[in-house]
């Protein structure tokens, strides 16, 4: 049916007829004029004429733009429907968040949210789940697409963890740097691992090198004057082996209540323990035996500097005479300052820590001698040292001057 176009004059007359006819309704006037009620109502509203509606037996007028009872009922029903839908949606979201709460305490928070969406994407719409747990859909789909590569990485990390456990089982004092060097020693380029990855895998697997914390006690300063100069000035490095040594005495506690004592002579270049001696006393023979052992290993100590503290053993007439005999130049730090002989002092800490670990002392003298001897031998020939570029002191010496060391080395 073709749409009718009415002249403006007709519209004005129709509105005036409705306005001026008392008691007339839109329905009545529209029927008389042959137009629809909606059309006549629209003309009246455009002209600013209030529409009269009948409520029961009483006819009332509504202001322009006001709702009729029928319109109000429709609106309220629509609002009620919307509120019910909103309540249902909020209730569902509460249930989703309640389920997601147990995910949020696992490791990486963002990964936990992604995992929750992945576990529930068949029950709810992905868009909705991402909005509830506050993640971007694109990020979730990118994470989901990388599942295969993450699984492969996890399998590779587990295989690496198994290799790390083997190395750590042989020496539980090894941390990430030494374990990395052990794994890479002789491995093809394609199988070499980075120390950061080894550290990450060790953290994830709970593998750590043995560490023991203890308070550092320093000796009280002796007012005695210093007679031997400090030739090292806390520089514990050397360009060549057999040029600079440091030495110290440390006690080895026994369960019987007594102690054994260890004297060492350590090469500053390679950190090798060139000589050592163990005894149940702290007489001068202890340090002279250690220096004799170093001389036997090196063949000669002529021109080498030996640095120590001001212990009575090192200032004794017998030890001074032995140094002169070997051509050793003595050096000593300040009285009561352990930092002036830090290399020798710090060597004692890992020795006791790695051998004793959670024990407080050795059960007897024989066990102490045996375990310290084994550790010192391993320290020189196998134990990796950061100063030696993660090789043992003996290996490091061979890479420096392979032709200059005697056969006994």
């Amino acid at each position: 049916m073709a749409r009718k176009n009415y002249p403006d004059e007709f519209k004005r007359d129709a509105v005036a007829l409705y306005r001026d006819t008392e008691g007339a309704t839109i329905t009545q006037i529209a029927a008389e004029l042959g137009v629809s009620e909606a059309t006549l109502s629209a003309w009246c509203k455009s002209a600013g004429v209030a529409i009269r509606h009948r409520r029961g037996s009483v006819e009332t007028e509504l202001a322009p733009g006001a709702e009729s009872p029928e319109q109000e009922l429709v609106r309220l029903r629509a609002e009620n429907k919307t509120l019910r839908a909103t309540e249902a949606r909020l209730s569902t979201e509460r249930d989703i968040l309640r389920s997601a709460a147990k995910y949020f305490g696992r490791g990486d928070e963002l990964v936990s949210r992604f995992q929750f969406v992945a576990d529930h994407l068949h029950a709810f719409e992905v868009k909705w789940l991402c909005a509830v747990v506050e993640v971007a859909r694109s990020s979730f789909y990118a994470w989901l697409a990388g599942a295969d590569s993450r699984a492969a990485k996890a399998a590779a990390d587990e295989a690496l963890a198994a290799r790390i456990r083997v190395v750590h089982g042989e020496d539980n004092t090894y941390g990430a740097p030494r374990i990395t060097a052990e794994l890479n020693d002789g491995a093809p380029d394609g199988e070499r691992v980075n120390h950061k990855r080894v550290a990450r895998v060790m953290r994830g697997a709970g593998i750590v090198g043995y560490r023991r914390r203890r308070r550092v006690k320093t000796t009280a300063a002796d007012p005695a004057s210093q007679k031997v100069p400090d030739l090292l000035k806390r520089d514990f490095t050397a360009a060549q082996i057999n040029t600079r040594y440091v030495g110290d005495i440390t006690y080895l506690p026994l369960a019987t209540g007594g102690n054994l004592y260890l004297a060492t002579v350590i090469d500053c270049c390679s950190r090798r323990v060139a000589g050592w001696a163990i005894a149940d006393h702290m007489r001068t023979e202890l340090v002279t035996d250690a220096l004799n052992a170093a001389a036997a290993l090196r063949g000669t100590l002529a021109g080498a500097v030996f640095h120590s503290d001001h212990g009575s053993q090192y200032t004794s007439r017998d030890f001074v005479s032995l140094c002169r005999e070997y051509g050793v130049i003595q050096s000593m730090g300040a009285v009561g300052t352990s930092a002036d002989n830090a290399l020798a002092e710090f060597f004692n800490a890992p020795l006791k820590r790695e051998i004793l670990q959670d024990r407080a002392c050795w059960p007897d003298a024989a066990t102490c001698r045996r375990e310290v001897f084994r550790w010192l031998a391993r320290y020189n020939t196998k134990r990796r040292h950061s100063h030696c570029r993660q090789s043992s002191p003996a290996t490091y010496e061979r890479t420096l001057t392979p032709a200059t060391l005697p056969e006994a080395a």
Side-chain angles (χ1 to χ4, degrees):
M1 182 175 181
R3 181 178 179 182
K4 294 180 180 180
N5 292 320
Y6 298 95
D8 292 340
E9 186 179 357
F10 181 84
K11 296 177 182 179
R12 287 195 296 270
D13 292 340
V15 171
L17 178 61
Y18 171 72
R19 184 189 60 216
D20 299 335
T21 304
E22 188 177 351
T25 63
I26 287 288
T27 303
Q28 294 171 346
I29 299 301
E32 292 179 8
L33 299 177
V35 300
S36 66
E37 296 180 21
T39 299
L40 182 57
S41 296
W43 294 344
C44 291
K45 290 180 180 179
S46 297
V49 176
I51 306 299
R52 294 188 293 271
H53 292 273
R54 185 175 296 276
R55 294 184 179 176
S57 58
V58 180
E59 188 178 80
T60 60
E61 289 188 0
L62 296 177
E67 293 181 322
S68 66
E70 293 80 5
Q71 292 172 326
E72 183 181 13
L73 180 60
V74 171
R75 179 180 59 78
L76 291 174
R77 285 177 176 174
E79 290 178 356
N80 185 51
K81 183 178 180 180
T82 302
L83 289 173
R84 287 180 179 274
T86 302
E87 183 182 0
R89 178 174 59 81
L90 291 175
S91 177
T92 305
E93 288 181 357
R94 282 196 300 271
D95 293 340
I96 292 174
L97 288 173
R98 191 176 295 114
S99 301
K102 59 184 178 183
Y103 283 75
F104 294 161
R106 306 176 186 173
D108 187 275
E109 181 179 351
L110 184 60
V111 172
S112 300
R113 292 169 187 254
F114 288 155
Q115 189 61 55
F116 173 77
V117 176
D119 292 345
H120 295 81
L121 56 83
H122 298 296
F124 302 99
E125 186 182 19
V126 173
K127 179 180 179 181
W128 191 13
L129 288 170
C130 290
V132 171
V133 298
E134 298 180 344
V135 295
R137 267 189 301 166
S138 59
S139 299
F140 166 72
Y141 283 122
W143 175 84
L144 195 63
D148 292 340
S149 62
R150 287 196 303 277
K153 180 181 178 181
D157 285 350
E158 184 57 36
L160 178 59
R163 295 171 59 196
I164 291 173
R165 290 189 183 95
V166 173
V167 177
H168 190 261
E170 294 177 356
D171 190 339
N172 68 345
T173 65
Y174 270 18
R178 290 194 176 102
I179 288 180
T180 302
E182 191 74 26
L183 293 173
N184 289 335
D185 191 12
D189 290 341
E191 297 181 9
R192 295 177 66 83
V193 292
N194 182 274
H195 70 282
K196 293 182 180 179
R197 183 186 174 202
V198 171
R200 175 178 58 80
V201 172
M202 288 179 66
R203 283 195 302 271
I207 303 173
V208 295
Y210 181 80
R211 293 191 298 269
R212 182 180 180 184
R213 296 183 178 181
R214 64 192 319 174
R215 292 184 178 180
V216 177
K217 296 181 179 179
T218 58
T219 57
D222 190 337
S225 60
Q226 179 173 315
K227 298 179 181 180
V228 179
D230 183 353
L231 302 178
L232 267 58
K233 301 296 183 182
R234 301 188 183 181
D235 178 11
F236 302 107
T237 60
Q240 297 289 332
I241 63 172
N242 200 25
T243 57
R244 283 184 167 190
Y245 292 92
V246 295
D248 192 27
I249 301 174
T250 187
Y251 73 97
L252 307 173
L254 304 176
T256 57
N259 296 309
L260 291 183
Y261 300 93
L262 169 68
T264 53
V265 178
I266 304 171
D267 194 308
C268 292
C269 176
S270 64
R271 302 299 197 259
R272 183 171 189 166
V273 184
W276 73 80
I278 302 175
D280 58 359
H281 60 80
M282 291 181 65
R283 295 190 295 271
T284 303
E285 300 97 281
L286 178 66
V287 294
T288 56
D289 287 348
L291 192 63
N292 285 328
L297 177 73
R298 294 306 193 199
T300 179
L301 297 177
V305 173
F306 178 77
H307 184 83
S308 67
D309 58 22
H310 278 263
S312 60
Q313 298 83 358
Y314 295 113
T315 58
S316 67
R317 183 174 305 173
D318 289 344
F319 187 77
V320 172
S321 298
L322 185 63
C323 287
R324 289 174 180 170
E325 179 182 341
Y326 284 137
V328 172
I329 304 170
Q330 278 192 277
S331 169
M332 292 184 181
V335 176
T337 305
S338 60
D340 286 349
N341 197 24
L343 176 57
E345 295 274 356
F346 291 162
F347 170 83
N348 299 327
L351 182 147
K352 296 179 184 179
R353 180 180 67 246
E354 294 183 8
I355 298 177
L356 289 175
Q357 298 196 7
D358 294 327
R359 295 179 295 168
C361 57
W362 281 271
D364 52 65
T367 302
C368 177
R369 288 178 180 271
R370 182 175 62 253
E371 291 185 353
V372 172
F373 172 80
R374 180 183 294 129
W375 189 90
L376 288 169
R378 186 178 184 279
Y379 173 88
N380 280 340
T381 59
K382 293 189 64 177
R383 185 181 182 274
R384 298 180 184 274
H385 202 299
S386 59
H387 176 79
C388 303
R389 297 192 291 269
Q390 294 302 344
S391 63
S392 69
T395 302
Y396 182 68
E397 288 186 355
R398 287 195 292 270
T399 63
L400 289 177
T401 54
T404 60
L405 296 179
E407 293 295 328

